[in-house]
Amino acid sequence: MRKLGLLLLVFGLSLGVAAGAQTIEKVVIGLSAPPRTMDPHGSDADSNLSIMSNIFDGLARRDVDGKLLPGLAVSWERVDAVTWRFRLRKGVKFHNGNDFTWEDVAFTFQRLKDPEVSEFLATGNLVKSVEPVDGDPWTIDIVTTRPVAWFVQNLHQIFIMDKESTEARSRGEVASYPIGTGPYKFVEWIRGDHLTLVANEDYWGGPPPVKKVIFKEIVDSFTRLAAIETGTVDIIQDIPLELFDRAKANPNLSIITRPARRGMFLGMKQTPDYPMHDVRVRKAIYMAINVQELIDKVMFGHASPAAQIADPPTVGYNPEIKRFPYDPEEAKRLLAEAGYPNGFSVTLKAPTDRYPRDEETAEAIAKQLAKVGIKVTLDAKPKAMYFPEVTHHDVELYYLGWFDGAYSAMRTFTKLVHSYDKERGYGLFNAGDISDKLLDYLIEQSDTIVDPELYVEWSQMTNRIAFEWKVVYIPLFYLEDSYAVYKPSGIKFTPRPDTWMTIVDVIQP
Amino acid sequence: MGAYIVRRIAQGLVVLLLVSFICFVIFQYMGDPAWALAGRYATPEQLEMVRKKLGLDKPFYIQYLIFLRNALHGNFGMSFVSRLPAMQLILERLPATFELALMAMLIAVTFGVGLGVLVSVAPNSPASRLIMAGSLLGISIPTFLTGILLIMVFAVDLRWFPPFGRGEVVRIFGNWRSGLLTWDGLKHLILPAITLSTYQLAVLLRLTRAGMMEVLGEEYIKTAWAKGLPQRAVLFKHALRNALIPVVTMIGLQFGELIAFSIVTETVFQWPGMGNLLLSAIFESDQPVIVSYITFVSLVILFLNLLVDILYVFINPKIRYV
């Protein structure tokens, strides 16, 4: 009898999904990029934040549409240009049993400033103080050193750590055994192999339906595909373009794609000694590039056209911005009008190992520009050599991708569009030395706008001016995120825009 | 003998110094790790702060001297990526690589020497010709291709073996996790071990064959045959023992190579060993891990070479070191 009971139990467990029990025993995920550290501040790479979002919570969180939702803070408001007021969630416990309090928040922001442990130095150094309001420990004011309109937009990736256990343990231990408030508790991490998490049944958002999660590191793309073809894992990230058809042909796999957050674009040197100083020349280059051909022929259809760098969930994304049409005749006319009837010579720099088919894309662009008389010398090199040249502004034409982790177009603009200003940290990636007084003003002023609706409209306007009127960059396309799910596992999967594998969001029971 | 060993160790130290110096020269062209470490939105001021903290603001020969001083104290620095001691990261991956190399060596020796003897007996038979042709293939097919083919056939199509990873491991002592003691662990080991062994197997096969052919022509072998000794005794007792000397040397050297060059195999099979770590460290410009790995592997190879030299004396008493 007992044996029969056991048998029924095993049977029941294995049918957990089908029986509509609303729980899934175990999900195995094949990661394309290994976790770097278990310290939630130790890496700002999405591949790492992705894992951390299961173990930790931020004051805010984001859902599968990229919408900002309450996290460890139940609500917030911007009191004045530099003050943000948060109401904290009561009754939350860390995995070690410690209560979540305002002091953990204060500790977290202090820790972000420490270069020994943090890759969020910019965020950490923005925060001046974290204090309770009128002695109420559940209401706090975070004061920034300067007005920052997107401050709260960034908080889904700033994970709150337990002050007591983080201070008491060595740095190595903190980076190996994470203690958070999140929906999953840490079990073990065998570096290079796998990371195991179990459901936190006391999670403030309710017990997570998936009880155990195993993240397997499978960096080689062929092996990752083999892993899901054999059902060794349930879900994989990043199907390589070269193996896409093979994956699609497999009846056991369902392929899920969505536009990536990263927008690819062409930057141009815009100092007066370059032809691209003239907006007509920039527009001519824009119109000489057949982006649909790049998408179809070079990217095998795995990209979608972009009219701006920001993607739809980003604050400041403006759906009204339209691409200039592909029109080589008009491009030639614009070049002639600008004084270059026979075109000119220019160097196009691109990385060879950073983005999917980066070198091939640059090659195709060079050929397209040749058709309107612009003679392009291609200079493609490994990213380790390419990126220092970009940050030293040693470029003429260059191929780059960008997305904003804080979902703010204006934050991106402070790095990519604002005139270079070392002191204030503006324009570090403005490799083309764009220097436009109007845009500088619009970008700087945006941070002082307290009214959220006005801020959105301001950002959208600035974005539109930059791309339609000033043509500061030539947007090309958004890359594509891809996933494969092993159908017999019965798992329903919805990807997030930021590619995070936040299990409570991406897997539906 | 003693003086010889001391001289060899001194030479080894010079090699180590050179190797680590070359690492530091290469680092100058690997990109600035401060960019990754400060975060994309860091200001130039914050970047400078990170460089100072890591000592990257100093000229590279100073960085190198600091590295030497710390290395002498057993401190190889913190990984830029995981912010853990670099040498610890390497050593925790050692069991996986060691077991893989051991299994690969076992396969290479068993089949390399075995087939080598077989081929030497009947060098002109069709089977021998096939084996020799196969050995050429083993030498020339790139490792990653062998790995991918094996995964495709034996993991994806036939489902005999798992496609990647190390499977179930048991902790034997300290942090040494072994996959040799579980059925699952062994199943995971087979394909990567075969992949890693192909090249060495082919080399050993050809070496054994050449040695055997030479020895089999000697007078004392003819005497052994004439005495009417059974074939087994002639082949293994008389011939193989003498043909084995260069083979043993090769095995010793190869084991070091297997540990050092398992990078490709480990990557294809996502084997959580040192080679795998090195590749991701190179990808992320994690300089402390790279230099620790290279130092460690150089040490292993130097040690194995020395060991082979010493063993030589015991195998062949005719050899003397002065």
Side-chain angles (χ1 to χ4, degrees), chain A residues 116-248:
Chain A
E116 297 265 6
V117 292
S118 160
E119 279 193 9
F120 290 92
L121 298 176
T123 306
N125 287 301
L126 268 181
V127 174
K128 198 162 130 199
S129 67
V130 179
E131 295 286 347
V133 181
D134 304 327
D136 172 11
W138 299 104
T139 306
I140 56 166
D141 275 352
I142 299 183
V143 180
T144 55
T145 52
R146 60 175 178 86
V148 188
W150 45 262
F151 183 74
V152 75
Q153 296 288 331
N154 192 30
L155 293 183
H156 66 288
Q157 50 180 351
I158 303 301
F159 294 116
I160 306 299
M161 291 182 85
D162 176 31
K163 178 174 193 279
E164 187 268 326
S165 66
T166 307
E167 283 180 336
R169 297 183 299 158
S170 74
R171 250 169 53 197
E173 206 164 313
V174 169
S176 306
Y177 304 99
I179 297 171
T181 55
Y184 287 91
K185 295 184 191 176
F186 175 83
V187 179
E188 68 168 351
W189 180 30
I190 307 296
R191 281 180 276 271
D193 198 78
H194 70 275
L195 166 72
T196 308
L197 306 178
V198 286
N200 171 11
E201 296 296 333
D202 306 318
Y203 184 53
W204 56 264
V210 178
K211 296 306 172 195
K212 188 174 180 185
V213 186
I214 300 173
F215 292 101
K216 296 244 186 202
E217 301 178 16
I218 319 175
V219 179
D220 186 88
S221 50
F222 169 81
T223 312
R224 203 160 57 245
L225 193 58
I228 192 134
E229 283 180 337
T230 54
T232 321
V233 298
D234 301 318
I235 302 168
I236 58 163
Q237 291 175 312
D238 291 337
I239 305 164
L241 296 187
E242 293 78 10
L243 295 171
F244 211 93
D245 291 337
R246 179 190 157 108
K248 222 166 180 176

Side-chain angles (χ1 to χ4, degrees), chain B residues 175-214:
Chain B
N175 273 330
W176 191 288
R177 288 162 200 275
S178 174
L180 297 176
L181 301 175
T182 66
W183 180 234
D184 188 53
L186 285 172
K187 254 171 48 183
H188 279 81
L189 187 55
I190 301 287
L191 293 185
I194 292 176
T195 306
L196 185 58
S197 72
T198 19
Y199 177 81
Q200 316 288 14
L201 194 158
V203 171
L204 285 182
L205 194 161
R206 299 183 81 85
L207 204 67
T208 310
R209 172 181 170 272
M212 283 295 281
M213 302 271 277
E214 201 186 313

Side-chain angles (χ1 to χ4, degrees), chain A residues 36 44 115-116 119 121-122 125 172 191-193 217-219 223 227 229-230 384 391 402-404 411 415 428, chain B residues 30 35-42 44 46 50 53 81-84 89 92-93 155 159 164 268 270 272 284:
Chain A
R36 297 154 67 96
D44 72 344
E116 297 265 6
E119 279 193 9
L121 298 176
N125 287 301
R191 281 180 276 271
D193 198 78
E217 301 178 16
I218 319 175
V219 179
T223 312
E229 283 180 337
T230 54
T391 52
W402 197 277
F403 73 94
D404 196 288
R411 186 170 85 137
K415 289 287 168 191
L428 211 55
Chain B
M30 272 187 68
W35 280 103
L37 285 167
R40 244 190 332 170
Y41 283 91
Q46 288 155 4
V50 170
K53 206 105 205 179
V81 171
S82 67
R83 298 169 198 254
L84 293 168
L89 291 175
E92 73 180 21
R93 302 282 188 109
R159 306 275 168 118
F164 75 100
V268 174
Q270 187 60 46
E284 313 217 44

Side-chain angles (χ1 to χ4, degrees), chain A residues 37-78:
Chain A
T37 168
M38 289 296 127
D39 183 330
H41 307 148
S43 169
D44 72 344
D46 277 291
S47 54
N48 214 68
L49 295 169
S50 161
I51 306 294
M52 290 299 118
S53 70
N54 291 295
I55 306 172
F56 293 90
D57 292 307
L59 289 176
R61 59 187 311 283
R62 285 188 188 271
D63 65 7
V64 280
D65 301 316
K67 219 177 111 208
L68 197 69
L69 301 172
L72 288 178
V74 288
S75 67
W76 51 79
E77 60 185 315
R78 194 177 181 187

Side-chain angles (χ1 to χ4, degrees), chain A residues 137-414:
Chain A
W138 299 104
T139 306
I140 56 166
D141 275 352
I142 299 183
V143 180
T144 55
T145 52
R146 60 175 178 86
V148 188
W150 45 262
F151 183 74
V152 75
Q153 296 288 331
N154 192 30
L155 293 183
H156 66 288
Q157 50 180 351
I158 303 301
F159 294 116
I160 306 299
M161 291 182 85
D162 176 31
K163 178 174 193 279
E164 187 268 326
S165 66
T166 307
E167 283 180 336
R169 297 183 299 158
S170 74
R171 250 169 53 197
E173 206 164 313
V174 169
S176 306
Y177 304 99
I179 297 171
T181 55
Y184 287 91
K185 295 184 191 176
F186 175 83
V187 179
E188 68 168 351
W189 180 30
I190 307 296
R191 281 180 276 271
D193 198 78
H194 70 275
L195 166 72
T196 308
L197 306 178
V198 286
N200 171 11
E201 296 296 333
D202 306 318
Y203 184 53
W204 56 264
V210 178
K211 296 306 172 195
K212 188 174 180 185
V213 186
I214 300 173
F215 292 101
K216 296 244 186 202
E217 301 178 16
I218 319 175
V219 179
D220 186 88
S221 50
F222 169 81
T223 312
R224 203 160 57 245
L225 193 58
I228 192 134
E229 283 180 337
T230 54
T232 321
V233 298
D234 301 318
I235 302 168
I236 58 163
Q237 291 175 312
D238 291 337
I239 305 164
L241 296 187
E242 293 78 10
L243 295 171
F244 211 93
D245 291 337
R246 179 190 157 108
K248 222 166 180 176
N250 188 327
N252 274 335
L253 301 184
S254 68
I255 308 297
I256 297 166
T257 59
R258 58 156 294 141
R261 293 210 59 211
R262 181 170 277 121
M264 304 305 304
F265 56 89
L266 218 53
M268 297 162 283
K269 191 56 117 189
Q270 289 164 47
T271 46
D273 44 335
Y274 283 91
M276 289 85 79
H277 181 64
D278 190 322
V279 68
R280 287 169 298 189
V281 173
R282 302 203 291 270
K283 214 171 148 184
I285 299 176
Y286 196 141
M287 297 179 89
I289 294 174
N290 184 349
V291 82
Q292 199 54 49
E293 189 183 69
L294 295 180
I295 293 172
D296 294 340
K297 299 264 173 66
V298 183
M299 302 302 293
F300 306 125
H302 296 292
S304 46
Q308 53 199 303
I309 295 174
D311 65 325
T314 303
V315 175
Y317 170 83
N318 188 340
E320 286 166 34
I321 304 177
K322 295 279 177 282
R323 287 192 58 83
F324 293 119
Y326 168 59
D327 188 344
E329 288 313 311
E330 176 67 7
K332 275 186 204 158
R333 200 191 60 75
L334 282 167
L335 282 176
E337 200 182 293
Y340 302 96
N342 302 316
F344 54 89
S345 297
V346 70
T347 303
L348 168 59
K349 286 187 180 174
T352 54
D353 54 354
R354 179 61 191 89
Y355 310 110
R357 297 183 65 76
D358 38 19
E359 193 177 359
E360 292 84 348
T361 307
E363 254 168 49
I365 291 172
K367 278 184 198 139
Q368 292 180 349
L369 292 183
K371 287 184 190 156
V372 299
I374 301 172
K375 288 165 279 298
V376 178
T377 314
L378 187 63
D379 180 11
K381 55 187 73 165
K383 62 178 180 190
M385 293 160 77
Y386 171 74
F387 280 106
E389 292 182 357
V390 170
T391 52
H392 288 110
H393 298 199
D394 174 20
V395 291
E396 292 178 6
L397 281 183
Y398 62 103
Y399 180 64
L400 199 70
W402 197 277
F403 73 94
D404 196 288
Y407 293 74
S408 162
M410 288 306 101
R411 186 170 85 137
T412 299
F413 275 23
T414 60

Side-chain angles (χ1 to χ4, degrees), chain B residues 167-179:
Chain B
E168 203 185 324
V169 289
V170 225
R171 197 188 288 253
I172 4 180
F173 57 87
N175 273 330
W176 191 288
R177 288 162 200 275
S178 174

